[in-house]
Amino acid sequence: TMEVIGLLFVLRMGYLTMGNSAHALLISTVGFALYFKEYIFKDNPNGNSAWGILTALVLAFSAIISPFLASRAYKTKKRSIWLAVTTLVCVIATSLLSFSFSEKAVVAIVIYFFSALGYYLALPIYNSYLPNITDSSRVQKVSGAGWALGYLGGILSVGICFMFGYLKHPVTETPELYRNIFLVAAGFNFVFSIPMIVVSFLTDSKEKVSDDKAVITQGWRLSDVLHIFKTENGKFIYTLLLVYWLVSEVSVVVVYYFAIFLKDYSGLAEGKILIYSIIGQLLAIVSTFSLGVLSNKIGGKKVLIGIVFAWSLVPFSLFLMSKGMSFWISVIILGLVIGAYHSIIRGKIAQLSESFPNPEDKGSLFGFLEVSGRISQVIGPLLIAFVTLFLPLNYGIMFMAIFPIIALIILFRLKWQ
């Protein structure tokens, strides 16, 4: 019976991730990234740098807010409300990208800012429900299964775009048709978020809000959220977050520049780029679930070391692709590791959260997980933005290999608890 209930919760978590995955693929990774570079900034030679700066700004803003918002939402037992609000902000802003006024650079930048901000602020609240739906013995398996289900959203949303012909022509030829894919992303995020939001409201309704007004009014001070690093597991927590940051450095750069990279160095059309992205997501479904199961059996550290090693190879494979090597090597490696490290570290954070009796500390922990990723997503694009002012994009991408290599050294020395 518990297995069936657990599976239902995993499916509901997967539903929200399906909406998120559609947003990640059709907006940040391929859709809006190409629209921004190939259409809005088509006559500007600094399009890559502009995209990097925009990405860094929105991620920096979300990094500042995430731990405080997650802590506050957890403490006041209003996670469901914040999950609904942040998701709605993302959906509305994403749908606005489909209108013609988004052709103006300033307007498009502002709308995309809120679209991405809503997306990123929803993640720590969503992740905080993982300890509520499983126990520590199965958390890696459940985390991997939820992440794997999420990739279906990207695949299905791209399938709809192809079915309606939104990707039939390059963005520069039919921008009005191409913008419809943003509407698809918004619709997916809305529809597939509903089950998880309903479940989150039911979960919150079973928790009693504290009568201590002094406690409720706290949560927006830095000392409140930094408390977790002074606990018994504090050193392990910030070391694990450091590894997450380092791997995310290369991950975010590859994700945000993958479509642009293929366009610049392989000359592929938008439709074909999305097809190869789908292939990568199909691989990710299998690998993320399988590696989650494997982590439960042999331990997360061993699996994570293999994943981080593979990430260190990705920048070199992309650089060699720019020199004539087949892009299939990069697609396959990315498909095998793109979501796995997120899933394993998220699972470990969920296990660690059980050692904190105070709900605000649990919220802070998941908030700092997002901060760790957001910091990398600020630094990485800014580094690329700076490098591409002087060197081609492929050299900037190759430079990012240094981050997972450092993460490997730390992982080998880390005493996994």
Side-chain angles (χ1 to χ4, degrees):
T1 303
M2 289 301 297
E3 289 288 341
V4 174
I5 294 174
L7 177 60
L8 290 174
F9 273 111
V10 171
L11 288 172
R12 285 162 181 165
M13 287 190 74
Y15 286 152
L16 180 58
T17 315
M18 286 176 75
N20 280 341
S21 295
H23 181 278
L25 182 59
L26 292 180
I27 304 299
S28 300
T29 306
V30 178
F32 188 76
L34 288 175
Y35 181 75
F36 186 89
K37 169 77 183 325
E38 299 295 321
Y39 183 69
I40 296 177
F41 275 73
K42 60 183 177 181
D43 297 321
N44 192 321
N46 295 321
N48 286 333
S49 296
W51 177 243
I53 293 171
L54 173 59
T55 301
L57 285 174
V58 68
L59 293 171
F61 200 82
S62 65
I64 294 171
I65 298 176
S66 286
F68 298 99
L69 178 62
S71 176
R72 181 76 173 180
Y74 222 126
K75 185 186 298 183
T76 57
K77 310 299 185 294
K78 294 180 179 179
R79 286 183 292 170
S80 55
I81 294 176
W82 282 109
L83 182 61
V85 169
T86 52
T87 300
L88 191 60
V89 168
C90 177
V91 168
I92 293 174
T94 304
S95 63
L96 290 176
L97 287 173
S98 65
F99 289 90
S100 60
F101 50 71
S102 65
E103 292 181 351
K104 298 180 180 179
V106 175
V107 176
I109 286 172
V110 171
I111 297 174
Y112 173 75
F113 179 88
F114 284 100
S115 172
L117 183 65
Y119 167 76
Y120 286 119
L121 291 181
L123 290 178
I125 302 172
Y126 157 71
N127 287 331
S128 72
Y129 282 100
L130 184 56
N132 295 101
I133 67 175
T134 188
D135 53 53
S136 59
S137 64
R138 299 186 304 161
V139 69
Q140 293 288 3
K141 180 180 178 181
V142 171
S143 180
W147 211 288
L149 281 171
Y151 283 115
L152 286 175
I155 295 171
L156 293 174
S157 61
V158 172
I160 289 178
C161 292
F162 274 108
M163 183 174 65
F164 286 98
Y166 298 155
L167 298 165
K168 188 175 181 180
H169 303 286
V171 58
T172 52
E173 295 181 6
T174 56
E176 69 284 350
L177 193 64
Y178 189 87
R179 282 195 298 269
N180 287 332
I181 69 174
F182 307 148
L183 202 57
V184 172
F188 250 79
N189 204 356
F190 178 73
V191 171
F192 286 99
S193 295
I194 292 175
M196 182 57 191
I197 291 175
V198 171
V199 171
S200 70
F201 270 100
L202 294 176
T203 302
D204 287 358
S205 67
K206 297 178 182 178
E207 299 178 346
K208 294 182 179 180
V209 179
S210 173
D211 294 326
D212 188 351
K213 295 182 179 179
V215 172
I216 298 301
T217 56
Q218 294 177 358
W220 297 100
R221 298 179 305 185
L222 187 60
S223 58
D224 294 330
V225 296
L226 289 178
H227 167 74
I228 62 173
F229 297 111
K230 299 178 181 179
T231 62
E232 181 180 353
N233 292 323
K235 183 177 180 180
F236 179 78
I237 290 171
Y238 70 68
T239 305
L240 187 64
L241 293 178
L242 177 62
V243 170
Y244 186 64
W245 162 59
L246 289 167
V247 181
S248 294
E249 283 289 356
V250 66
S251 173
V252 70
V253 167
V254 170
V255 167
Y256 278 87
Y257 282 94
F258 183 70
I260 295 173
F261 201 92
L262 288 180
K263 182 76 173 180
D264 288 351
Y265 292 101
S266 297
L268 297 175
E270 289 84 351
K272 288 188 176 181
I273 291 174
L274 278 169
I275 289 175
Y276 296 131
S277 298
I278 290 175
I279 294 173
Q281 299 231 338
L282 285 170
L283 288 172
I285 292 174
V286 178
S287 66
T288 305
F289 177 76
S290 301
L291 291 173
V293 173
L294 186 62
S295 297
N296 250 37
K297 292 183 177 180
I298 68 173
K301 179 180 178 179
K302 294 178 181 178
V303 177
L304 191 58
I305 286 174
I307 293 170
V308 175
F309 174 74
W311 266 114
S312 69
L313 300 178
V314 171
F316 294 107
S317 69
L318 287 172
F319 179 81
L320 291 174
M321 185 191 80
S322 71
K323 299 298 183 179
M325 191 180 74
S326 174
F327 53 78
W328 279 108
I329 297 176
S330 299
V331 171
I332 292 173
I333 297 176
L334 275 173
L336 293 176
V337 301
I338 188 67
Y341 85 96
H342 289 283
S343 172
I344 292 173
I345 294 179
R346 180 180 68 172
K348 189 61 181 178
I349 290 294
Q351 289 177 323
L352 290 170
S353 71
E354 296 178 358
S355 65
F356 294 98
N358 297 323
E360 61 267 27
D361 292 335
K362 297 178 188 289
S364 298
L365 185 58
F366 284 101
F368 276 110
L369 175 64
E370 292 305 312
V371 168
S372 180
R374 297 297 85 80
I375 291 174
S376 66
Q377 292 174 327
V378 171
I379 296 175
L382 285 178
L383 281 175
I384 294 296
F386 177 76
V387 171
T388 52
L389 290 175
F390 308 98
L391 295 171
L393 179 61
N394 56 344
Y395 284 93
I397 296 289
M398 186 175 65
F399 172 77
M400 302 306 294
I402 190 173
F403 292 100
I405 291 174
I406 295 174
L408 271 178
I409 296 173
I410 295 174
L411 266 177
F412 276 113
R413 297 171 59 89
L414 179 64
K415 294 182 180 179
W416 195 274
Q417 303 177 2

